[in-house]
Amino acid sequence: MTVAQQAPSALNFDCETGNYHTFCPISCVSWLYQKIEDSFFLVIGTKTCGYFLQNAMGVMIFAEPRYAMAELEEGDISAQLKDYEELKRLCLQIKRDRNPSVIVWIGTCTTEIIKMDLEGLAPQLEAEIGIPIVTARANGLDYAFTQGEDTVLASMAHKCPTSAQVQGEDKEERNAIQKLLTFGRKADQEKVESEYVDHQPLVLFGSLPDPVVTNLTLELKKQGVKVSGWLPAKRYTELPVIDEGYYVAGVNPFLSRTATTLMRRRKCKLIGAPFPIGPDGTRAWIEKICSVLGIEPQGLEEREAQIWASLEDYIQLIRGKSVFFMGDNLLEVSLARFLIRCGMTCPEIGIPYMDKRYQAAELALLEKTCSDMGVPLPNIVEKPDNYNQIQRIKALQPDLVITGMAHANPLEAQGINTKWSVEFTFAQIHGFTNARDILELATRPLRRNSQLGELGWDKLIAKDVPAQV
Amino acid sequence: MKLAYWMYAGPAHIGTLRIASSFKNVHAIMHAPLGDDYFNVMRSMLEREQNFTPVTTSVVDRQVLSRGSQEKVVDNIVRKDGEETPDLIVLTPTCTSSILQEDLANFVDRAQMDAHCDVLLADVNHYRYNELQAGDRTLKQIVEFYIKKARKQGNLATEKTAKPSVNLIGFTTLGFHNQHDCTELKRLMADLGIEVNLILPEKATVDQLAKIPQAWFNLCPYREIGLMTAEYLQEEFAQPYVDITPMGVVETARCIRKMQQVLNQQGFDVNYEDFIQQQTRHVSQAAWFSRSIDCQNLTGKKAVVFGDNTHAAAMTKILAREMGIHVVLAGTYCKYDADWFRAEVSEYCDEVLISEDNGAIADAIARIEPAAIFGTQMERHVGKRLDIPCGVIAAPIHIQNFPLGYKPFLGYEGTNQIADLVYNSFTLGMEDHLLEIFGGHDTKEVITKGISSDSDLGWHSTAQAELNKVPGFVRGKVKRNTEKFARERGLSEITLEVMYAAKEAVGA
């Protein structure tokens, strides 16, 4: 196992256990239903949960065919109704109306509090209705925002077949669609195979948009690394085969449970690497995978340098400036590391949850980056208190604050440049090619405000309007 | 358990928070797990609010759950009292934390011992009431609390103002066009010579609540929020209220006449008939508009109306009485107040639909195939799918309901806005005629060439597939840039690698 190294000690970690705001972990529905095309997501919760997805996330209207709420009513809460019968009724209706390949039950705070045994009910119901059911406890009592995806993927990891199972059923059938699409271009396929180094199978985990999946797969292919599969795949029926001893690597910092599940339950070997965000992170990620698979990476240094050179126009805008992360989506450490490499300073990284083991390599790279760039180490604040943070922001006056949506407009109104962290959750930020998109987002408030400044807008707006907190 | 795809009204705590954060210098503490606090996001993003939303979540996590939350909730109330010095802190659970069945009233009592401000527990059943009902209740609860407090302290202002005056009740943050409606009614009151004593709850302070009884009467323009308060005040002080929504020319006149009657009864001699005539004929263009030639084509057009009680009922009346449009179906999602709705609209439409199920309305629209829909964002979406235009007339709110320009739904300016909305929603007038006569003006066939047929470059199948994944509106640009990149480098085939290399090179 390569993850066991302890977190570097020079970094300072605080845990404020404060009152902080992030999105609810059930948000993951909004990107996972798009990613897994044959899925149906059933969120089992209250009106509060449903209204969140509808309003704050704006998902409901567009997701309608493949997402619904199982709204708990008074009878469900007081246990007058049988959970099994109720869920069966709903799932049968979903099967009749939509016939998905999988139904994902998203448990919420309410199912936790009333102790609804979703994991216990699922196998029985799955057998009865003939559709696989994945259960995930994406509740706000235990998790924040993006960790919802972690709960779903951890649960899905159990459902990945082994190669024995796949050979047992009909392998032909499993790949029937792919075969149709490639028209049996067998010769082509064999030629492609020879481009790979012979190594132990590697499965990547983390939900990324398809173009990014292709991109990262290609980057690894250039080094002769073959990606056997992604968790999740585009379709539930194409979940990757996972056998004992397979290597796995994550692409996102919030997937610690999935990593643990793959290691403990599926006996995979986790490659603990920094995350492929920014050219520095992407290079480190590829290098680590190569080194574990016994491959000498080729041309990565030049590739990274080339990307940095192409980013120069953006970097000029932020070099020497400071960025403050209030903490929202758990991408904070990776983004901070990249922005510090771009020449920024970062006094504070707020983060809802910090798994020092799973993020060990990323934290080490952060520390190294700070020392390379000669800037102080950021203070990492777990479960920050937003009120205290705002006082610190007022004192520090950072050039950019990356924050959740509830604070963005008020901070901007106080003359502080802000960027919504949510955008980094949804934008394509992974890999070499997309590094530019991160900077496009991060510099937008600075560019916009300097443009308004050039137009003379700052003379029209009184700068020190007293705004209350 | 109920399978739900869409919610017309939000959960109870949203209603409570809308009231609490509408007041000035009132803070709310939400006793809730992480993620339930999206009210702050809605307020900050939809209303583009510049101040931090005065709502703090006392986060319930696994640890709090096992240790009990009293200490944390009490600490947070006392802490906020120190940090913000509000006049009042309202504590509310959410659907989730309300099932913990904790003695929140006791928490409030405990906190009150240490806090300088008043502390109230919003008294709402989170599984029986929705956002609208909870808002109505919370407003009444706060008003009642401060009336009682003022009475005890002997500073209740019971003497009527010298000039006729009114309390406008029901304007809240995150309400459907509430800000503009409020401005319009203030203008209307000024025109009528009625002083606005208080506006509730928007931007009122709790100290002002002792002044409520000074007003000659209360006006509740919205059926959903404010009526409980008005009823309480009538009981308590015999303060009359007017609950006619001044929406549309006819109803605005009826509302004004009712106000006149209320004032006359209190011995103030006033006659608003001239004003009504003047406004209807000259200020509001709506009455003339519906008689103008252009609008003849509206006659008998079929429409479906759906929304909250206030807006759906008013819109049905406007369409039927003022525009001669045939309202086939009028519906509301305010199930709890269905009888009122039926009584209001029955004579103006063929069918009445009372339902919280968006599927039922969508089915009805598909069956009826109206020429236009007047509904919520959901019906607008349904209309898009069926290619039927839809004007949005009711909450759930959307960023579009916070326009920068002045767009009230109430009063005489409201009548103009609504007339525009109706007119723009239908395809009509000359346009409609010409479309019928000439069979449409878009006669150009769409000619699409194969993506690589006009190019000497070969696209590898994988790259071609990748190109097809690029959203249509930028696909052409990506294709051009990639081919340019390949030509410059003398490549004959575009593979996936070339595509990505090109993307990096142009930095797009």
Side-chain angles (χ1 to χ4, degrees):
Chain A
M1 218 183 301
T2 49
V3 77
Q5 76 237 37
Q6 264 311 308
S9 53
L11 284 164
N12 183 36
F13 295 93
D14 279 340
C15 185
E16 279 189 317
T17 322
N19 300 322
Y20 64 108
H21 156 82
T22 84
F23 275 146
C24 175
I26 60 172
S27 323
C28 66
V29 168
S30 69
W31 62 87
L32 287 177
Y33 93 89
Q34 287 183 311
K35 175 69 199 182
I36 309 168
E37 290 171 0
D38 53 352
S39 61
F40 190 99
F41 283 80
L42 184 67
V43 178
I44 304 160
T46 58
K47 257 185 178 311
T48 302
C49 312
Y51 204 60
F52 163 70
L53 286 169
Q54 175 174 322
N55 263 292
M57 297 301 287
V59 203
M60 253 169 160
I61 276 193
F62 306 105
E64 193 228 272
R66 291 197 286 109
Y67 149 76
M69 285 290 306
E71 197 183 312
L72 298 167
E73 297 171 294
E74 226 173 349
D76 302 300
I77 303 297
S78 55
Q80 286 164 339
L81 298 166
K82 270 204 131 95
D83 298 337
Y84 184 82
E85 291 307 319
E86 290 294 294
L87 283 166
K88 184 176 149 191
R89 183 170 58 81
L90 265 48
C91 288
L92 281 174
Q93 191 181 335
I94 291 165
K95 185 187 178 185
R96 200 174 53 237
D97 296 350
R98 319 283 183 193
N99 196 27
S101 304
V102 61
I103 298 176
V104 184
W105 285 354
I106 302 285
T108 59
C109 304
T110 310
T111 55
E112 287 296 311
I113 291 173
I114 63 173
K115 300 198 165 52
M116 193 183 272
D117 180 22
L118 297 178
E119 282 92 347
L121 297 171
Q124 200 187 341
L125 190 56
E126 173 173 84
E128 197 174 336
I129 66 170
I131 293 181
I133 294 172
V134 170
T135 51
R137 298 177 163 200
N139 67 77
L141 298 168
D142 300 304
Y143 306 107
F145 197 11
T146 48
Q147 285 180 291
E149 174 179 322
D150 194 22
T151 64
V152 174
L153 297 190
S155 180
M156 242 174 220
H158 291 285
K159 300 272 184 179
C160 291
T162 60
S163 52
Q165 283 168 334
V166 172
Q167 269 150 22
E169 67 190 56
D170 194 4
K171 195 169 183 181
E172 287 297 310
E173 200 171 320
R174 198 177 148 78
N175 290 325
I177 295 176
Q178 274 183 343
K179 211 165 192 182
L180 263 177
L181 290 174
T182 49
F183 296 110
R185 252 188 281 108
K186 220 34 199 288
D188 225 18
Q189 205 103 40
E190 269 157 22
K191 197 185 89 201
V192 169
E193 290 294 325
S194 64
E195 292 170 22
Y196 294 113
V197 176
D198 187 30
H199 62 78
Q200 186 73 285
L202 168 71
V203 171
L204 300 179
F205 58 94
S207 166
L208 296 177
D210 294 339
V212 185
V213 166
T214 317
N215 194 339
L216 288 181
T217 309
L218 265 177
E219 293 290 356
L220 288 171
K221 183 184 159 192
K222 279 185 194 160
Q223 306 299 337
V225 176
K226 181 174 184 184
V227 179
S228 308
W230 283 77
L231 173 67
K234 244 171 101 105
R235 301 177 64 80
Y236 179 76
T237 48
E238 291 163 12
L239 275 181
V241 171
I242 295 181
D243 283 342
E244 198 174 319
Y246 273 24
Y247 280 109
V248 290
V251 293
N252 271 324
F254 44 77
L255 298 173
S256 56
R257 275 179 65 89
T258 310
T260 315
T261 307
L262 287 168
M263 284 193 299
R264 296 211 183 127
R265 308 297 296 272
R266 304 303 304 257
K267 308 280 182 249
C268 294
K269 290 178 279 187
L270 177 71
I271 301 176
F275 299 98
I277 292 170
D280 48 343
T282 308
R283 178 182 164 191
W285 184 72
I286 296 173
E287 273 177 350
K288 187 62 192 278
I289 291 173
C290 286
S291 85
V292 170
L293 298 178
I295 294 169
E296 181 74 33
Q298 301 296 321
L300 276 183
E301 201 179 334
E302 299 78 49
R303 182 113 168 88
E304 191 196 345
Q306 196 188 350
I307 297 289
W308 280 118
S310 74
L311 299 178
E312 184 54 30
D313 52 341
Y314 275 129
I315 292 177
Q316 276 175 6
L317 297 169
I318 50 173
R319 193 172 280 136
K321 296 207 159 80
S322 59
V323 57
F324 186 110
F325 286 87
M326 283 188 77
D328 188 29
N329 55 15
L330 277 82
L331 293 170
E332 287 83 7
V333 176
S334 306
L335 288 172
R337 180 257 305 150
F338 168 57
L339 291 177
I340 290 171
R341 178 61 73 179
C342 289
M344 295 188 90
T345 56
C346 179
E348 173 166 336
I349 302 176
I351 189 165
Y353 171 73
M354 182 78 239
D355 186 324
K356 288 181 205 163
R357 263 167 64 94
Y358 178 63
Q359 293 227 42
E362 185 62 89
L363 289 167
L365 183 59
L366 171 70
E367 208 181 337
K368 181 176 178 294
T369 304
C370 288
S371 93
D372 287 354
M373 301 303 289
V375 297
L377 290 169
N379 206 19
I380 298 178
V381 184
E382 199 179 345
K383 298 189 199 303
D385 188 280
N386 288 158
Y387 182 86
N388 294 345
Q389 283 186 314
I390 288 163
Q391 309 312 312
R392 293 198 285 271
I393 287 171
K394 280 183 180 166
L396 288 164
Q397 290 291 318
D399 297 300
L400 178 65
V401 174
I402 296 181
T403 177
M405 281 193 172
H407 303 297
N409 264 336
L411 280 172
E412 194 75 40
Q414 299 197 351
I416 289 170
N417 294 317
T418 50
K419 191 74 212 149
W420 304 328
S421 45
V422 180
E423 289 197 71
F424 296 99
T425 317
F426 294 121
Q428 305 186 357
I429 60 169
H430 293 74
F432 284 123
T433 317
N434 293 318
R436 201 175 168 83
D437 295 285
I438 307 178
L439 291 182
E440 164 67 26
L441 288 176
T443 59
R444 197 173 291 163
L446 306 170
R447 283 179 289 130
R448 194 271 308 259
N449 290 351
S450 76
Q451 261 166 17
L452 293 184
E454 279 160 25
L455 289 169
W457 277 96
D458 53 344
K459 292 181 196 76
L460 298 177
I461 306 164
K463 273 215 164 149
D464 38 13
V465 181
Q468 89 184 67
V469 175
Chain B
M1 239 177 256
K2 190 170 90 179
L3 198 61
Y5 290 98
W6 175 258
M7 246 166 267
Y8 286 102
H13 78 271
I14 296 283
T16 295
L17 294 179
R18 274 175 60 189
I19 300 298
S21 55
S22 292
F23 278 107
K24 244 196 246 169
N25 209 28
V26 170
H27 203 94
I29 299 274
M30 264 177 84
H31 170 47
L34 203 64
D36 273 5
D37 61 347
Y38 53 88
F39 176 80
N40 298 38
V41 176
M42 289 170 64
R43 192 150 181 272
S44 164
M45 299 307 297
L46 297 179
E47 294 217 275
R48 299 179 198 92
E49 180 58 52
Q50 297 200 16
N51 293 319
F52 286 95
T53 303
V55 177
T56 301
T57 311
S58 173
V59 179
V60 179
D61 59 15
R62 194 59 74 173
Q63 214 186 355
V64 172
L65 214 52
S66 60
R67 282 204 328 210
S69 46
Q70 172 158 9
E71 198 186 332
K72 180 154 194 179
V73 171
V74 171
D75 281 355
N76 273 317
I77 293 174
V78 176
R79 179 182 158 193
K80 256 320 124 184
D81 177 51
E83 283 168 358
E84 316 266 351
T85 55
D87 300 321
L88 165 69
I89 288 181
V90 177
L91 174 67
T92 178
T94 59
C95 298
T96 314
S97 51
S98 67
I99 41 178
L100 293 172
Q101 303 201 316
E102 294 159 306
D103 189 0
L104 294 178
N106 181 36
F107 294 10
V108 163
D109 291 343
R110 271 275 318 276
Q112 186 66 81
M113 288 193 265
D114 292 328
H116 301 287
C117 67
D118 297 314
V119 187
L120 266 184
L121 169 67
D123 186 17
V124 171
N125 180 322
H126 288 255
Y127 286 87
R128 292 204 189 144
Y129 299 127
N130 68 19
E131 170 189 358
L132 305 170
Q133 296 163 288
D136 204 17
R137 257 151 235 274
T138 305
L139 180 59
K140 185 218 163 196
Q141 193 193 352
I142 293 176
V143 167
E144 190 177 358
F145 178 83
Y146 280 98
I147 294 286
K148 282 186 176 154
K149 188 179 175 191
R151 182 172 283 148
K152 215 154 113 192
Q153 293 176 340
N155 56 8
L156 196 63
T158 44
E159 197 165 315
K160 295 274 177 267
T161 54
K163 280 190 187 164
S165 62
V166 62
N167 297 317
L168 301 175
I169 303 181
F171 297 99
T172 67
T173 183
L174 292 178
F176 184 81
H177 291 253
N178 269 199
Q179 312 281 19
H180 298 164
D181 283 351
C182 183
T183 308
E184 183 63 19
L185 287 197
K186 279 196 282 188
R187 288 181 187 172
L188 179 64
M189 294 307 143
D191 287 347
L192 296 174
I194 300 173
E195 280 175 1
V196 177
N197 183 51
L198 269 183
I199 295 169
L200 288 179
E202 188 65 21
K203 296 200 176 68
T205 64
V206 289
D207 294 335
Q208 291 173 320
L209 297 180
K211 282 182 12 189
I212 290 181
Q214 286 184 333
W216 291 36
F217 70 103
N218 293 312
L219 175 60
C220 294
Y222 305 121
R223 177 80 192 161
E224 289 75 25
I225 292 183
L227 214 52
M228 272 184 84
T229 306
E231 278 161 4
Y232 162 76
L233 292 168
Q234 185 177 43
E235 237 169 73
E236 200 71 13
F237 304 107
Q239 193 175 26
Y241 67 86
V242 175
D243 62 348
I244 299 164
T245 306
M247 190 168 146
V249 174
V250 178
E251 289 295 283
T252 303
R254 195 162 75 92
C255 177
I256 295 173
R257 288 190 185 112
K258 179 74 188 173
M259 291 193 280
Q260 174 186 323
Q261 187 195 345
V262 165
L263 294 179
N264 291 349
Q265 277 166 355
Q266 296 181 57
F268 186 77
D269 186 31
V270 69
N271 189 330
Y272 292 134
E273 276 316 310
D274 289 345
F275 174 78
I276 294 171
Q277 291 302 321
Q278 164 79 10
Q279 292 286 322
T280 307
R281 285 175 199 285
H282 302 294
V283 175
S284 169
Q285 300 293 308
W288 156 240
F289 167 79
S290 52
R291 267 153 202 80
S292 66
I293 291 294
D294 209 15
C295 280
Q296 277 183 3
N297 296 335
L298 284 176
T299 314
K301 288 247 186 196
K302 286 195 292 184
V304 166
V305 179
F306 191 81
D308 60 359
N309 267 358
T310 303
H311 292 90
M315 200 64 200
T316 302
K317 292 179 195 169
I318 292 170
L319 292 174
R321 287 193 301 202
E322 299 178 21
M323 303 204 160
I325 290 162
H326 178 189
V327 179
V328 183
L329 177 140
T332 179
Y333 53 81
C334 296
K335 263 170 94 171
Y336 62 94
D337 198 15
D339 293 344
W340 179 87
F341 186 76
R342 260 197 208 94
E344 288 291 305
V345 302
S346 296
E347 56 179 306
Y348 304 111
C349 61
D350 303 348
E351 305 174 39
V352 174
L353 177 70
I354 314 277
S355 176
E356 287 173 336
D357 174 14
N358 64 295
I361 298 109
D363 289 347
I365 292 172
R367 168 173 56 84
I368 294 165
E369 290 185 49
I373 309 163
F374 296 92
T376 70
Q377 291 294 334
M378 189 69 214
E379 285 68 50
R380 188 171 71 96
H381 188 67
V382 170
K384 257 191 205 162
R385 277 198 276 184
L386 299 172
D387 202 20
I388 299 170
C390 177
V392 175
I393 54 144
I397 43 150
H398 185 273
I399 188 100
Q400 286 173 344
N401 304 129
F402 298 93
L404 301 182
Y406 185 52
K407 291 208 158 61
F409 272 68
L410 303 185
Y412 287 106
E413 182 52 30
T415 61
N416 290 336
Q417 293 294 338
I418 292 167
D420 277 343
L421 180 75
V422 172
Y423 185 75
N424 294 332
S425 296
F426 286 102
T427 326
L428 41 63
M430 287 308 283
E431 190 186 332
D432 198 18
H433 273 299
L434 293 173
L435 279 174
E436 263 170 44
I437 293 165
F438 297 110
H441 33 229
D442 193 12
T443 54
K444 208 168 64 182
E445 283 290 316
V446 182
I447 303 157
T448 38
K449 280 187 180 168
I451 227 141
S452 54
S453 62
D454 56 345
S455 159
D456 51 339
L457 283 162
W459 281 73
H460 188 265
S461 55
T462 52
Q464 181 76 64
E466 194 66 17
L467 182 65
N468 290 340
K469 281 185 210 155
V470 175
F473 61 95
V474 285
R475 197 179 298 144
K477 188 180 158 200
V478 171
K479 182 171 178 258
R480 275 196 307 279
N481 285 339
T482 311
E483 290 183 350
K484 190 174 152 217
F485 175 86
R487 277 202 194 90
E488 281 167 8
R489 280 156 190 76
L491 302 169
S492 61
E493 192 187 39
I494 295 172
T495 59
L496 264 182
E497 284 87 344
V498 174
M499 250 186 111
Y500 285 112
K503 190 184 178 206
E504 281 156 26
V506 293

